[in-house]
Amino acid sequence: MHFGSLVAALASCLDVRSRGGEWLLRIDDLDRGREVAGAREAIIEDLTVLGFQWNGAVQSQHERGTRYRQAVNQLREAKLAFPCACTRKDIQEQGEPGERAAVYPGTCRNGLPPGKAARSIRLRVPDETIRLEDEWAGRICQDMAREVGDFVLWRVENIASYHLATVLDDADAGITRIVRGADLLDSTPRQILLQRLLGLPTPAYAHFPLVRAEDGRKLGKQTHAPRVDAGTPSKTLFKALEFLRQTPPAALSSAPIEDIWTWAITHWRPQALTTAAA
Ligand SMILES: [Zn+2]
């Protein structure tokens, strides 16, 4: 586990524990082909050494394909999803620029072009603006048709898309509150739309501002951040708390891990994060 993931896990765990809630651990492992051997075990080991405690068994996604497929079929039967033959290159060339990538130009919306085979399945995105009151990020509005377009539910690799899997996993686990980094903020309207179309409840969302490394880069997989040092767990956890602007007393950096957790849950101040970003 790298430092960016640790900080994200810590923020969500402290937020939930300080409210007396249950914290669930799910390893997002949809794309098994890209999974590094032993990565899952290493993450669980690091979390355990750092004193994280989760409710119930560790959840994963790779054995939930039937559930994901059933949801796609449900959307297809309701004419809310359609097969698409376009490649990424087709869309880049023909689509208008959108929030992150080119917006799907609608090529296969009313049927596959003659002689073309389906590669993926897309959601028929309605002409609608999705609004969200995020607890920390405030009001978010996204014009789905113009900013996002028909997005993928089932990928060419024959696996569910991240958005579809996430929405179903959250609902099936009874998740009522999602705390995560602001890098996922612009994905949230897509997930809310899917919840509505599938008749699932929408949880409360709280996105915390992105944590940046000392050189200003976002901490995450993209920066090839090194694995956190679980050999000195107290120091590592203390550093993560400081990163979340929680100002733990210096003496805690060498205290037993349980003492750091007790302090952190009692003193959790998410406001420190949001004011630092403002
Ligand atoms: Zn298409």
Side-chain angles (χ1 to χ4, degrees):
M1 188 170 58
H2 59 77
F3 194 66
S5 298
L6 165 61
V7 166
L10 184 58
S12 76
C13 192
L14 289 176
D15 183 82
V16 166
R17 293 273 183 241
S18 67
R19 297 158 173 267
E22 295 189 351
W23 191 67
L24 305 189
L25 179 59
R26 181 173 82 225
I27 310 266
D28 286 358
D29 52 0
L30 270 178
D31 196 349
R32 297 219 99 189
R34 283 176 52 192
E35 203 176 298
V36 181
R40 177 194 169 88
E41 291 71 24
I43 290 170
I44 294 170
E45 189 190 313
D46 287 349
L47 287 171
T48 306
V49 170
L50 290 164
F52 282 85
Q53 288 174 0
W54 51 90
N55 294 83
V58 180
Q59 302 175 19
S60 56
Q61 301 180 310
H62 69 268
E63 70 279 285
R64 287 185 31 89
T66 311
R67 170 70 171 122
Y68 303 150
R69 202 175 263 285
Q70 174 258 322
V72 171
N73 290 341
Q74 182 188 333
L75 292 169
R76 283 190 72 173
E77 276 159 29
K79 304 273 181 258
L80 292 166
F82 62 91
C84 168
C86 304
T87 62
R88 193 171 293 204
K89 191 161 162 273
D90 294 335
I91 297 164
Q92 264 167 9
E93 285 169 2
Q94 296 158 23
E96 297 289 326
E99 176 102 2
R100 281 198 183 181
V103 172
Y104 182 68
T107 320
C108 313
R109 253 195 161 209
N110 301 308
L112 291 171
K116 296 270 182 117
R119 293 168 54 85
S120 60
I121 295 170
R122 291 180 181 272
L123 185 74
R124 193 184 301 278
V125 169
D127 193 1
E128 198 181 309
T129 296
I130 300 284
R131 288 178 180 81
L132 141 80
E133 287 296 336
D134 187 273
E135 194 168 315
W136 298 336
R139 166 163 285 203
I140 307 297
C141 296
Q142 203 173 52
D143 180 332
M144 298 308 288
R146 258 148 232 93
E147 291 177 62
V148 180
D150 297 338
F151 58 88
V152 171
L153 298 174
W154 201 264
R155 291 164 50 182
V156 61
E157 296 89 353
N158 197 25
I159 49 175
S161 73
Y162 159 75
H163 298 298
L164 180 71
T166 301
V167 157
L168 293 167
D169 293 346
D170 291 345
D172 292 351
I175 303 276
T176 53
R177 184 174 171 82
I178 293 177
V179 177
R180 59 188 183 188
D183 51 336
L184 290 164
L185 197 49
D186 71 354
S187 301
T188 307
R190 260 171 280 188
Q191 297 180 7
I192 292 175
L193 175 62
L194 272 177
Q195 287 154 2
R196 288 183 193 165
L197 297 177
L198 288 164
L200 306 171
T202 292
Y205 287 95
H207 286 82
F208 58 85
L210 286 189
V211 170
R212 287 183 188 279
E214 276 161 17
D215 60 5
R217 287 180 310 173
K218 195 192 110 196
L219 281 176
K221 279 179 258 181
Q222 300 85 344
T223 58
H224 303 286
R227 186 171 172 183
V228 293
D229 186 0
T232 51
S234 296
K235 249 173 98 178
T236 302
L237 194 62
F238 185 88
K239 240 173 76 185
L241 276 175
E242 281 192 314
F243 222 102
L244 290 168
R245 313 230 168 26
Q246 297 300 302
T247 58
L252 270 186
S253 71
S254 52
I257 206 95
E258 303 77 42
D259 295 359
I260 305 180
W261 273 100
T262 305
W263 182 91
I265 293 168
T266 320
H267 295 85
W268 172 239
R269 277 184 67 246
Q271 313 86 283
L273 269 175
T274 39
T275 39

